[in-house]
Amino acid sequence: MVNVVGARPNFMKIAPIIRAMEARCDEISQSLVHTGQHYDEMMSESFFRDLDIPAPEINLNTGSGSHAEQTAAVMLSFEPVLRQMRPDWVFVTGDVNSTLASALVAGKMKINVAHVEAGLRSFDWTMPEELNRVLTDRISELLFTPSPEADENLLREGIEPHRIVRVGNVMIDTLYHQLESAGRSEILETLALEPRSFAVVTLHRPASVDEPATLQNLFSALAEIGRELPVVFPAHPRTQARMREFGIQPVKEVRVIDPLGYLDFLKLWSNSRLVLTDSGGLQEETTTLAIPCLTLRDNTERPITIIQGTNHLVGLERERIVTIARKVLRGEFENKGSRPELWDGHAAERIVDALIERTGNVQPQLLNLKAVQ
Ligand code: UD1
């Protein structure tokens, strides 16, 4: 079994899978490959520490680049690794470029691919992640889904029902597993914040941060909200770079800080009054702990967080963002929502159970890792 990670959201998804495989190590042997898509200490290494993920056997060190460069770099460097390792399965998670690139390499080598977080669809083909999701699902032999509408999307696309296994949400496995440790984080003291009295913002998608007018407009909305309560914005390196490039000056109402590690960030958002984000994972995490979330996008691939959870899709327009944020702050959306079925902290165990049930014993041949390092 080869587990692949590349970018920040992959780390919290693979951590429980590695743990669940480890618990069945007499039946499954596993290796971890890091593509190196994310490489900064706070985008990668800190997550290995916070989430107790073992060091990867191999780091492909592919780094940043255009979509084609990044995808091609992962493919070129992953192929010889797989040729050496010859696993029975390659496990990929989520929808980042590393997910698609590694699935494509494995698929072409006739190695089974398992996709964790399969079936999510925004139906927005301008999102790079939508291409990654659809194509990875098409290549995958086993599709582990988090929610019923993901199953429906896959069935509609002609995926055979026996390849789809609804297991729940592995990101939520990590959330529950780490809540206690996050409780010990001192980030609120460090930032001098009182629980439930501040808002947290994250923005990093090209649609939110790559156009000067859009990013300026979002800052203007955040500044307006910042007049009502402190707004803390741990900013992705891409967002910080765009702010510099567009000459967007920091405003006193919005506290822009560097990205936080998993535990500090969990402590921060789970104690906030309101989250504003364009992230996918945070929509799910806030729903799980019933924290109000405004998603600053025009669509979401995670509609269950709106139908059942605490998420509101508000778009990118200043007035609408401010109006809905004020409603939340006035307590007008006190319906706390409910946690989706199977988002219970045991999704990864269900994945490993299903894998063993379907494939029998999956001990691969002895890996000769030295030759490819
Ligand atoms: C990627 C994923 C996105 C995910 C996000 C989480 C794709 C297509 N996108 O977007 O779905 O939500 O990760 O963070 O895979 N950079 C650094 N240090 C790093 C990594 C990146 O400074 O460790 C900067 C570089 O300038 C780089 C830019 O961020 O060019 C973008 O990084 P990239 O990996 O291409 O995409 P993300 O925006 O991080």
Side-chain angles (χ1 to χ4, degrees):
M1 193 81 43
V2 168
N3 294 315
V4 180
V5 289
R8 185 168 61 176
N10 295 148
F11 306 131
M12 26 296 202
K13 292 169 195 168
I14 213 69
I17 296 173
I18 292 176
R19 224 175 18 254
M21 287 182 179
E22 188 54 41
R24 310 274 301 256
C25 61
D26 48 336
E27 295 152 287
I28 295 180
S29 70
Q30 57 174 322
S31 301
L32 181 62
V33 173
H34 190 334
T35 69
Q37 177 175 343
H38 284 176
Y39 43 83
D40 282 351
E41 151 73 19
M42 291 315 286
M43 298 297 285
S44 177
E45 191 61 36
S46 80
F47 287 83
F48 281 76
R49 275 197 311 276
D50 277 5
L51 304 179
D52 268 331
I53 304 174
E57 274 85 352
I58 292 171
N59 193 323
L60 306 176
N61 288 315
T62 53
S64 301
S66 70
H67 286 272
E69 286 165 348
Q70 203 169 58
T71 308
V74 172
M75 290 185 71
L76 284 174
S77 46
F78 190 45
E79 189 181 47
V81 169
L82 270 194
R83 208 178 288 130
Q84 285 283 337
M85 290 177 144
R86 298 290 333 165
D88 297 299
W89 286 87
V90 168
F91 262 67
V92 298
T93 68
D95 56 14
V96 301
N97 285 343
S98 298
T99 308
L100 173 62
S102 47
L104 203 45
V105 173
K108 284 185 180 259
M109 293 175 75
K110 302 190 172 40
I111 296 170
N112 290 316
V113 177
H115 186 204
V116 177
E117 201 185 82
L120 300 188
R121 299 287 181 267
S122 65
F123 304 102
D124 174 359
W125 285 92
T126 66
M127 280 181 87
E129 293 83 1
E130 185 72 355
L131 273 83
N132 293 342
R133 286 189 276 264
V134 171
L135 298 174
T136 303
D137 284 343
R138 197 68 197 84
I139 297 164
S140 299
E141 180 60 29
L142 266 180
L143 300 106
F144 294 110
T145 62
S147 50
E149 82 281 355
D151 299 13
E152 286 159 25
N153 291 335
L154 294 172
L155 291 170
R156 203 179 320 110
E157 290 171 18
I159 306 278
E160 298 99 314
H162 69 89
R163 286 163 52 200
I164 304 168
V165 191
R166 184 160 4 123
V167 290
N169 193 323
V170 283
M171 203 164 212
I172 304 309
D173 288 10
T174 292
L175 171 59
Y176 284 131
H177 192 74
Q178 298 294 346
L179 260 182
E180 200 182 316
S181 305
R184 291 191 286 276
S185 154
E186 293 179 357
I187 192 70
L188 297 186
E189 291 80 357
T190 306
L191 297 175
L193 294 166
E194 291 296 323
R196 303 271 170 255
S197 67
F198 60 94
V200 173
V201 177
T202 79
L203 290 170
H204 71 279
R205 285 188 194 281
S208 327
V209 306
D210 279 3
E211 278 295 321
T214 309
L215 188 57
Q216 188 73 64
N217 182 57
L218 288 172
F219 261 92
S220 157
L222 297 176
E224 191 69 32
I225 296 165
R227 286 193 250 288
E228 309 213 6
L229 81 175
V231 172
V232 187
F233 183 176
H236 186 287
R238 173 196 197 97
T239 312
Q240 295 197 26
R242 294 292 180 267
M243 287 175 64
R244 281 192 297 274
E245 201 182 308
F246 304 154
I248 294 179
Q249 299 300 329
V251 287
K252 65 176 186 331
E253 292 87 356
V254 183
R255 200 157 153 195
V256 178
I257 60 173
D258 283 335
L260 294 173
Y262 183 83
L263 295 174
D264 282 340
F265 188 58
L266 171 52
K267 175 78 178 259
L268 184 71
W269 71 257
S270 65
N271 279 285
S272 72
R273 176 86 181 82
L274 169 68
V275 169
L276 301 103
T277 189
D278 63 359
S279 148
L282 203 43
Q283 296 172 50
E284 298 178 332
E285 292 168 322
T286 47
T287 271
T288 304
L289 297 189
I291 303 291
C293 176
L294 305 196
T295 294
L296 309 184
R297 288 172 47 186
D298 293 324
N299 53 56
T300 177
E301 59 289 330
R302 292 159 162 96
I304 197 164
T305 60
I306 298 174
I307 297 160
Q308 211 176 315
T310 49
N311 188 18
H312 305 270
L313 197 60
V314 299
L316 293 160
E317 276 173 30
R318 182 184 184 282
E319 287 316 312
R320 188 166 150 78
I321 295 168
V322 173
T323 305
I324 299 185
R326 287 201 176 116
K327 285 187 176 179
V328 170
L329 296 178
R330 283 200 302 267
E332 281 187 32
F333 295 116
E334 274 312 321
N335 172 11
K336 287 198 181 297
S338 63
R339 193 189 68 191
E341 196 191 349
L342 300 179
W343 293 20
D344 58 358
H346 300 287
E349 292 152 38
R350 285 189 281 271
I351 287 173
V352 173
D353 287 348
L355 183 71
I356 290 173
E357 190 185 302
R358 276 170 172 72
T359 60
N361 191 315
V362 284
Q363 278 276 8
Q365 57 269 57
L366 216 60
L367 304 178
N368 180 5
L369 296 176
K370 286 222 163 57
V372 290
Q373 273 170 337

